[in-house]
Amino acid sequence: MKAKAITAETNRGVLLDVFVFIINLALMNLLMRYSLDLLRSAGEGDAFAVLALVLCSGGMFVLPAVGAVLKRWHFHRRLSARPKSEGEATKLPFDLLELKSNVAAGCLFNPIFYLVLSIFLSSVVLSLVIPLIFGKRANTGAVFVPLVIASFVTCVVQTVLVYRYFSPPKKAPSAPFLRDPASEQVGDLCICVNMILFQVFWNLVISQFPFTRAASAGEFAFNLFVLVFLALLVYFPPRIFYLAEDIRRPATWLTILLANSPTILRALFGGDANARGLIP
């Protein structure tokens, strides 16, 4: 792929994968150090750290919805502008009403699957964040129940807005900014920031459940399978917008695996960059 082509709107997914690979390879250890310091400060009652933790946690579930709203008009204009000679390329890689028409797309782009995955991820985030913010009050009904309800509602709203992104708008947005190309660029920025937050979260979580060194090829293969599977699950929600355009490209899955390879290799083989050594 030419250097100029990677910056095209239809190749933003590949660009994101390359960016995530660089972050995971060169900067993730530093980001995890800052994140761990933030978690420690929040646990000690630092108000600024608590606010930053709330914003980062909320951003993981608000930014995808914002990105979907900002990018929707431009995505469908680009899709409809493709030459008719491309045939199947003028359509989405899946049919929201006939998900069985494509097994892979039908699974990945099923809103129920996305909602369940969002609820699961939000539960993990809440289990880590709530005790740091509320301390002993975290287990009380006055704190726990409202947060669980708010988290569920957020996941539902996010899923609705994200999957609305895949349905063509009936008319142009009334807000001028949503028709401006700059809105898609801001949407791409939201998705990029969201991906970084997810990657930091994933690296922190995997560091708390270290994989033991495999004693056989079978154990190594099993550990590799589990890590790849979980990495793709975490990578999927922020990547879904671009996956809608490049899911048919074989290279897409290679760049996605490349983006996650530093984290997977660190978890398999350990090393100085592993966050386990950063935890007191």
Side-chain angles (χ1 to χ4, degrees), residues 142-163:
V143 172
F144 183 76
V145 174
L147 286 176
V148 170
I149 295 176
S151 174
F152 177 77
V153 172
T154 300
C155 290
V156 171
V157 173
Q158 179 207 55
T159 302
V160 170
L161 291 177
V162 167
Y163 278 82

Side-chain angles (χ1 to χ4, degrees), residues 96-119:
L96 289 176
L97 298 179
E98 297 181 7
L99 294 172
K100 294 182 179 179
S101 61
N102 186 309
V103 177
C107 176
L108 291 176
F109 289 92
N110 192 316
I112 297 178
F113 171 77
Y114 187 92
L115 176 61
V116 171
L117 182 58
S118 296
I119 293 174

Side-chain angles (χ1 to χ4, degrees), residues 101-213:
S101 61
N102 186 309
V103 177
C107 176
L108 291 176
F109 289 92
N110 192 316
I112 297 178
F113 171 77
Y114 187 92
L115 176 61
V116 171
L117 182 58
S118 296
I119 293 174
F120 171 74
L121 292 174
S122 67
S123 299
V124 177
V125 172
L126 286 178
S127 67
L128 296 174
V129 171
I130 290 179
L132 293 174
I133 296 176
F134 295 99
K136 296 181 179 180
R137 295 182 299 157
N139 295 325
T140 62
V143 172
F144 183 76
V145 174
L147 286 176
V148 170
I149 295 176
S151 174
F152 177 77
V153 172
T154 300
C155 290
V156 171
V157 173
Q158 179 207 55
T159 302
V160 170
L161 291 177
V162 167
Y163 278 82
R164 186 171 175 265
Y165 170 86
F166 300 115
S167 61
K170 296 181 180 179
K171 58 181 180 179
S174 57
F177 179 69
L178 293 179
R179 300 192 301 270
D180 192 295
S183 65
E184 184 171 27
Q185 296 172 5
V186 175
D188 288 327
L189 179 61
C190 290
I191 294 171
C192 182
V193 173
N194 184 57
M195 177 64 82
I196 294 174
L197 291 175
F198 264 78
Q199 287 300 297
V200 173
F201 162 74
W202 164 238
N203 277 269
L204 287 172
V205 170
I206 203 65
S207 71
Q208 303 306 303
F209 300 95
F211 283 76
T212 57
R213 290 295 180 90

Side-chain angles (χ1 to χ4, degrees), residues 69-107:
V69 172
L70 293 175
K71 286 176 61 65
R72 184 186 179 210
W73 167 252
H74 306 283
F75 168 64
H76 286 283
R77 282 195 66 186
R78 185 164 60 252
L79 201 66
S80 62
R82 288 180 177 177
K84 298 298 182 180
S85 59
E86 292 186 15
E88 289 294 324
T90 62
K91 302 178 182 179
L92 285 170
F94 60 94
D95 187 338
L96 289 176
L97 298 179
E98 297 181 7
L99 294 172
K100 294 182 179 179
S101 61
N102 186 309
V103 177
C107 176

Side-chain angles (χ1 to χ4, degrees), residues 30-57 128-129 132-133 197 200 204 278 280:
L30 181 62
L31 290 175
M32 289 182 68
R33 287 183 183 274
Y34 286 139
S35 299
L36 289 167
D37 289 340
L38 180 67
L39 292 172
R40 294 189 191 101
S41 298
E44 294 169 357
D46 186 299
F48 176 79
V50 169
L51 176 61
L53 191 58
V54 170
L55 291 177
C56 290
S57 301
L128 296 174
V129 171
L132 293 174
I133 296 176
L197 291 175
V200 173
L204 287 172
L278 303 176

